[in-house]
Amino acid sequence: MKFKHSTLIDTCKTSSILAAVFSISPFVFAVECGDVINSTTVLSEPLTCELTQDSPYALTVFGPNGNLQMVGDGEIICDTASQHGIAGILVNGFSGLVSGGTITNCPDGLNLEGDGFHIIEGIKILSSPREGIVIDSDSNTIVRNHIIDTGNDDGIDIRGDKNKILQNYIESAGDQGITINGEFTLVNLNHIVGSIDGASGIQVNADHTTVSQNFVTNNYSNGIEITSESNNIVSQNFVTKNGTSGSSDVAGINISVFNSTNNQISGNTSLDNNAFDLQDLSDTNCTGSNLWTGNIFKTSNPDCLD
C-alpha cells in the first residue's frame, strides 16, 4: 500500500502538533467549586463559589502534585451569605503550589495546613473579612503577594515554624499586617502600610524571628513590635510615621514587654513615629541583654538606646 508523499507529511505534522499540545498542558481541566486539585491545574476565568458548612473552601490544593496556576482572568470570588465559609483556598498535604490570579471576598484568602513546604506566589487577595493568609504548617514560602483590606484580622497570620515571608505588599489590614507566632520565621523585604484598629505593622510573638529590610509605615500602633521572650533580630528596616492612633505608648520599633531578652535591633532607620522612634520597655537603663546598635532615629525611650 502506497501513501502519497503529501499525506505522509500532513500526518506527521498532525502527530507532532498533538504531541506538542499534550506535552505542554496534559493536566489542564475545567475547575469547579469544591474541587480537590491533585495535579497541575490552570484557572483562567472568574470562579464564584458559595461557601457552606459542607463546602467551606472554594478549592483545595493537595500537595505534592497539587499545583493551581491562576492566569489571565483567573479569580476566586466567595459568596459568604451562609457565614459558614473558611477560606478561598485550602492548601494541604506537602509542597503544594498556588500562584497568580486574585482571591476576592473570601473569609480567609488562603489557609496553609498539612506537612507544609507550600509555596504561595504572586496572588492578589482582596477584601477578606478575616485574614489574608493563615499559616498553620511549617517551612512554607509566601512571596510577592498583594493583600489589601482584611476586615477584622491580620494580613498574614503565621502559626507554624520556619516560614519565609518575602516581598509581599500588605495594605489596610484590619489587625496586624503580619503576626508571627511561629519560631524561626524570616520576614524580609515586605511593604506594610496602614494597618488599622489598634494594630502594628509587624508583631513578633515568637522567639528566633528575623525581621529585615521591610518598609513599615502609617500603621495605627507600632511599626515593628516585639512581645516575645528572646533571640529576635530586627535589622535594616525602614520604619516611619507609625502610631497614627496618637497613643503615648507606641513606637516605630518597640520591645513592649518587660521580660524580652537577647534581641538585636541594628541598622534600622526609624523616623517620625509617634510617640518614639525606638522603645525598650524591658530594659529601661540599657544594661540588659538587648542590643541596640547603628540605628538612625530622633527619639527613644530610654534615651540611652542607640
Side-chain angles (χ1 to χ4, degrees):
M1 184 176 185
K2 296 183 178 179
F3 294 93
K4 291 184 179 180
H5 182 66
S6 60
T7 303
L8 181 59
I9 291 175
D10 290 343
T11 301
C12 291
K13 285 182 178 179
T14 301
S15 299
S16 299
I17 291 170
L18 289 173
V21 169
F22 283 111
S23 66
I24 293 172
S25 56
F27 301 117
V28 177
F29 58 86
V31 181
E32 296 182 356
C33 296
D35 280 351
V36 177
I37 294 171
N38 293 298
S39 60
T40 299
T41 302
V42 175
L43 175 64
S44 59
E45 59 186 13
L47 179 68
T48 300
C49 297
E50 179 183 3
L51 303 187
T52 66
Q53 189 168 4
D54 295 330
S55 184
Y57 304 99
L59 297 172
T60 297
V61 175
F62 205 95
N65 297 318
N67 176 345
L68 176 64
Q69 301 173 21
M70 292 186 281
V71 300
D73 294 327
E75 179 178 10
I76 295 171
I77 304 164
C78 292
D79 177 350
T80 59
S82 73
Q83 299 185 349
H84 288 293
I86 296 177
I89 299 176
L90 169 64
V91 187
N92 214 329
F94 172 82
S95 193
L97 171 65
V98 183
S99 64
T102 304
I103 300 173
T104 302
N105 196 44
C106 298
D108 297 332
L110 298 101
N111 285 179
L112 277 59
E113 299 183 1
D115 295 323
F117 291 89
H118 307 303
I119 297 175
I120 307 300
E121 180 176 9
I123 301 171
K124 183 176 287 187
I125 302 171
L126 304 176
S127 301
S128 297
R130 293 197 301 250
E131 300 186 288
I133 300 174
V134 180
I135 305 172
D136 281 312
S137 53
D138 300 336
S139 303
N140 304 286
T141 300
I142 314 299
V143 58
R144 289 187 293 276
N145 302 284
H146 192 164
I147 302 171
I148 303 175
D149 187 20
T150 56
N152 297 317
D153 222 319
D154 304 326
I156 300 177
D157 184 357
I158 306 161
R159 303 169 185 173
D161 298 331
K162 301 179 182 178
N163 288 286
K164 296 179 181 179
I165 314 299
L166 312 172
Q167 301 178 49
N168 301 280
Y169 188 100
I170 303 172
E171 180 179 356
S172 299
D175 203 352
Q176 325 301 334
I178 298 175
T179 295
I180 303 162
N181 291 307
E183 294 188 344
F184 299 100
T185 300
L186 172 63
V187 177
N188 179 246
L189 292 170
N190 301 279
H191 187 128
I192 302 165
V193 55
S195 299
I196 59 177
D197 196 22
S200 298
I202 300 172
Q203 187 174 85
V204 181
N205 303 325
D207 301 338
H208 305 290
T209 294
T210 299
V211 177
S212 63
Q213 297 179 287
N214 301 282
F215 183 83
V216 186
T217 185
N218 283 295
N219 296 285
Y220 188 89
S221 186
N222 303 283
I224 301 171
E225 179 182 15
I226 297 176
T227 69
S228 58
E229 293 184 1
S230 62
N231 299 306
N232 299 293
I233 297 172
V234 176
S235 68
Q236 298 181 308
N237 299 281
F238 189 88
V239 185
T240 184
K241 297 181 180 179
N242 298 283
T244 58
S245 63
S247 174
S248 61
D249 61 348
V250 301
I253 302 174
N254 191 4
I255 299 177
S256 63
V257 293
F258 296 102
N259 59 348
S260 185
T261 59
N262 295 308
N263 299 292
Q264 179 179 325
I265 317 298
S266 63
N268 301 281
T269 298
S270 184
L271 295 169
D272 301 321
N273 300 281
N274 184 73
F276 301 100
D277 292 324
L278 306 179
Q279 180 166 258
D280 189 345
L281 296 181
S282 70
D283 184 8
T284 58
N285 56 14
C286 301
T287 59
S289 60
N290 293 324
L291 175 64
W292 297 77
T293 181
N295 299 292
I296 298 172
F297 62 99
K298 294 178 182 176
T299 59
S300 70
N301 179 31
D303 293 335
C304 51
L305 296 181
D306 186 13

